[in-house]
Amino acid sequence: MSEQAGRVAPGNASGFLRVLAVDDEPPALDELAYHLRADPRVARLHTAADATDALRLLRDADVDVVFLDIRMPGLDGMELARVLRRFARPPAIVFVTAYDDGAVDAFDLGATDYVRKPVRAERLAESLRRVIGSRVVPSHPAALARAEEDPTIPIELAGTTRMLPRSAVRWVEAQGDYARLHTADGSHLVRVSLATLAERWADAGFVRIHRSYLVQLKLIAELRLVNSGYVVVIDGTELPVSRRHTRELKDKLVRAAKQDWSR
């Protein structure tokens, strides 16, 4: 199933977005299509009822962005997004879902946005603004490499999903099945375990110092011995270092210092 919105927006050509909306639930797809079709930045709208239908459509039509449900029968939204990433010119991905447990996988896949159902016109308008913004970023290989090195993670702020750059995270604190990301200006709770982030962010310089804490190694200002053991200091905040992680942390700090001196 596909359709064209038949609307071409006036103004800058960068605003002429070709959009594909994918959802296996007809009412949800109809609502999403209604809001997208009403936005003047959408030049053409296609719809698909599942991933197979979407891939069939994409053989014949180029799109700039795919608004994609996650939980669908057969090939789900995450799996479809991985296929789309292998395209020579991959479209932007905006996940539209009733659940928040796919947020971390979404940012791993480089999603432009993560929208919670029920969708609102103003929230989709914000997503389109982000898509347009991402399309004018220079496609020089160095710029693309920087984007890969600093992925974003969706966070909830007053009912709105924002994309937080990983580079903004100073340390992470475990809170049950959730993790609290601490930044220079606040903290944000995301539904992902500390162990998962420790594994995924190891190559970015994040190290485990305690069962409850993951920190950015280069931001450690001090490793201090106190009565109860060692603590590290980041942004003036003391965080405990467990005995089992102390030796490894010392070794990593020494290696990092040697690398800085050798440059």
Side-chain angles (χ1 to χ4, degrees):
M1 174 180 66
S2 66
E3 68 179 89
Q4 294 186 351
R7 178 191 293 271
V8 178
N12 194 300
S14 65
F16 295 164
L17 290 175
R18 298 162 297 181
V19 180
L20 169 61
V22 187
D23 199 313
D24 65 303
E25 298 180 356
L29 183 59
D30 289 345
E31 181 181 22
L32 179 59
Y34 173 79
H35 289 305
L36 290 170
R37 190 182 297 112
D39 194 295
R41 291 166 295 187
V42 175
R44 185 170 292 111
L45 175 67
H46 304 278
T47 62
D50 55 38
T52 301
D53 197 12
L55 290 172
R56 186 180 302 114
L57 184 150
L58 289 170
R59 287 202 302 261
D60 304 315
D62 292 328
V63 301
D64 302 302
V65 54
V66 179
F67 283 78
L68 181 57
D69 187 25
I70 292 180
R71 298 191 179 183
M72 297 186 295
L75 199 68
D76 68 21
M78 289 294 178
E79 293 167 328
L80 176 57
R82 292 186 180 94
V83 173
L84 298 180
R85 286 192 67 184
R86 296 198 292 267
F87 280 25
R89 297 179 61 185
I93 300 292
V94 174
F95 287 106
V96 183
T97 176
Y99 308 94
D100 61 3
D101 56 0
V104 172
D105 288 333
F107 101 85
D108 274 349
L109 287 169
T112 301
D113 207 353
Y114 192 92
V115 179
R116 292 287 303 278
K117 294 179 180 179
V119 296
R120 295 177 289 112
E122 59 271 23
R123 184 66 184 87
L124 289 179
E126 169 66 12
S127 290
L128 290 169
R129 184 193 66 76
R130 294 181 187 180
V131 169
I132 292 172
S134 70
R135 280 165 49 82
V136 300
V137 173
S139 58
H140 188 280
L144 295 176
R146 286 193 296 271
E148 287 293 323
E149 291 169 1
D150 191 20
T152 56
I153 183 168
I155 58 171
E156 291 292 329
L157 288 174
T160 299
T161 304
R162 302 292 186 189
M163 307 303 283
L164 177 73
R166 182 176 61 190
S167 60
V169 179
R170 319 291 282 184
W171 78 87
V172 185
E173 180 182 3
Q175 293 194 346
D177 293 332
Y178 290 75
R180 183 167 294 279
L181 310 180
H182 291 267
T183 65
D185 56 1
S187 66
H188 311 281
L189 196 65
V190 295
R191 189 173 181 178
V192 58
S193 70
L194 193 71
T196 298
L197 289 182
E199 179 181 351
R200 295 183 178 183
W201 290 7
D203 292 341
F206 283 84
V207 297
R208 193 79 173 261
I209 63 168
H210 189 277
R211 63 177 181 171
S212 298
Y213 292 98
L214 179 70
V215 304
Q216 174 55 265
L217 184 70
K218 66 182 180 181
L219 298 180
I220 295 177
E222 293 181 48
L223 175 62
R224 181 189 304 161
L225 180 63
V226 295
N227 293 334
S228 57
Y230 282 93
V231 298
V232 296
V233 179
I234 297 180
D235 296 339
T237 300
E238 293 185 354
L239 303 173
V241 181
S242 66
R243 291 183 179 178
R244 62 174 296 209
H245 290 101
T246 299
R247 173 53 58 189
E248 182 182 4
L249 177 61
K250 286 182 177 180
D251 290 343
K252 288 182 177 180
L253 287 171
V254 169
R255 286 198 299 269
K258 286 181 177 179
Q259 289 176 356
D260 288 340
W261 277 104
S262 63
R263 289 174 183 171

